[in-house]
Structures are given as C-alpha cells and as structure tokens.
Amino acid sequence: LAGIFFLMLGLSFAAVPLYDLFCRVTGFGGTTQISREAPDIILNQKVSVRFDTNVNKLPWNFKAKTNVMDVKIGQVNRIEFEVENYGNETTYGVAAFNVSPSSFGKYYSKLGCFCFEKQALKAGEKATYIMTFYLDPEMVNDPNTKNIKDVTMSYTFFSSDYYNQSKL
C-alpha cells in the first residue's frame, strides 16, 4: 500500500509537466507550437488570422496594431502589439494565449513571442511587443484543418503580483 501511495504521489507531481508536454506536441486545447526555423515551403493559400487582446486585473491598454492579417500558409509573419500602463505605479504582467479553433493549435507556430515572460511597465509607460509566427503547411494535409480560412489568436495579459519586487 505504501508503494502505491508513493507511486500515486509521484504521478500527481508529474501530471502538470506531462499534460504540458502532451498539449505542446498535439496542439490540444489550442496550444500553439514553438519553432526555431521557418518552413521551406510557402503555399499560395491564405488564412485570415484575427488578434483578440484582453487584460485581466491590470491598468493596461493592450491592442494589436493590426486586428486581422491575411497570411500565406508557410510564410513568416510579424505582428506588433501596443501596451500602455495608465496606472500610477509600476505593474507586472504575463501574457497567456490560445488559438481557436483548437484543432488549429498544432499548426500555429511561433518563432518569437513575448508570451509567458514577465513584462514590467512603469506608470504611464508604453511598449511594443512583437510576435513572429507562421502557419505550418502541414495543415492542408489534416482533414480537420485543411478547409479553415479564419483563425483567432487570443492574448490575455494577467496581473502578476508574483513578480512585484515590493511584495517579495
């Protein structure tokens, strides 16, 4: 019984990293991919990518410079996001993202992103964050994604008191 207890305890600690790995490999739940290099092929097929921006518990304005981009499959694209702290003190945030439809997540590949990194903005400060991405040409071989013409990339900046130096 003790062995079963410790096995179950170990599995409970391993569940989060294993689930994260599963989502990254399969694109489950709209999890996008991280890539180190661009694909070798660019298709003459386009997909409209919409950018949705939200802020949760931060005195920030957050928006994409372009709300919709028509992108060729396989072509590297760059989108800029503008962020402004309209509060009276330095605040910290972390951006999380998701793509919809969720079956498309494994074909939305980021080459560079500000997501999941600590961002600090002083009172009144403005910043521009950049995401570089492409749509994997393999999407046209998947029956679940080959006919998709419209995708939404949603970003939410969350307050991160964990990073607030004065509270540590």
Side-chain angles (χ1 to χ4, degrees):
L1 286 175
I4 292 172
F5 171 76
F6 286 111
L7 175 69
M8 296 302 287
L9 182 65
L11 287 175
S12 68
F13 282 105
V16 172
L18 289 174
Y19 180 75
D20 183 53
L21 177 64
F22 171 77
C23 290
R24 289 182 191 280
V25 170
T26 64
F28 181 75
T31 301
T32 61
Q33 303 300 304
I34 297 171
S35 181
R36 299 213 185 276
E37 56 187 57
D40 296 331
I41 187 169
I42 297 174
L43 305 178
N44 201 22
Q45 198 174 337
K46 289 188 177 182
V47 174
S48 288
V49 180
R50 298 181 190 291
F51 296 96
D52 174 49
T53 55
N54 304 285
V55 178
N56 185 1
K57 297 183 180 177
L58 279 171
W60 291 10
N61 286 324
F62 174 46
K63 64 182 179 176
K65 282 192 175 181
T66 305
N67 290 330
V68 179
M69 291 176 68
D70 291 330
V71 301
K72 284 186 176 181
I73 297 171
Q75 183 176 29
V76 175
N77 301 277
R78 177 183 154 127
I79 178 79
E80 292 184 357
F81 294 87
E82 296 175 332
V83 185
E84 179 181 7
N85 179 357
Y86 60 83
N88 296 326
E89 62 184 21
T90 300
T91 50
Y92 302 85
V94 174
F97 59 86
N98 204 336
V99 69
S100 180
S102 61
S103 61
F104 195 80
K106 65 182 172 180
Y107 301 110
Y108 194 104
S109 296
K110 295 184 307 274
L111 292 166
C113 187
F114 56 94
C115 16
F116 298 117
E117 294 177 3
K118 170 184 75 170
Q119 306 296 337
L121 286 177
K122 296 177 183 170
E125 183 179 12
K126 294 180 183 181
T128 300
Y129 299 134
I130 298 169
M131 180 184 59
T132 307
F133 70 97
Y134 66 89
L135 307 181
D136 191 329
E138 283 298 314
M139 70 173 274
V140 299
N141 298 325
D142 185 336
N144 294 321
T145 58
K146 69 179 181 180
N147 295 320
I148 291 178
K149 301 291 181 216
D150 188 38
V151 176
T152 301
M153 184 68 177
S154 183
Y155 274 93
T156 302
F157 255 112
F158 292 93
S159 173
S160 183
D161 288 336
Y162 174 78
Y163 293 112
N164 191 338
Q165 301 288 327
S166 64
K167 294 184 179 182
L168 293 177

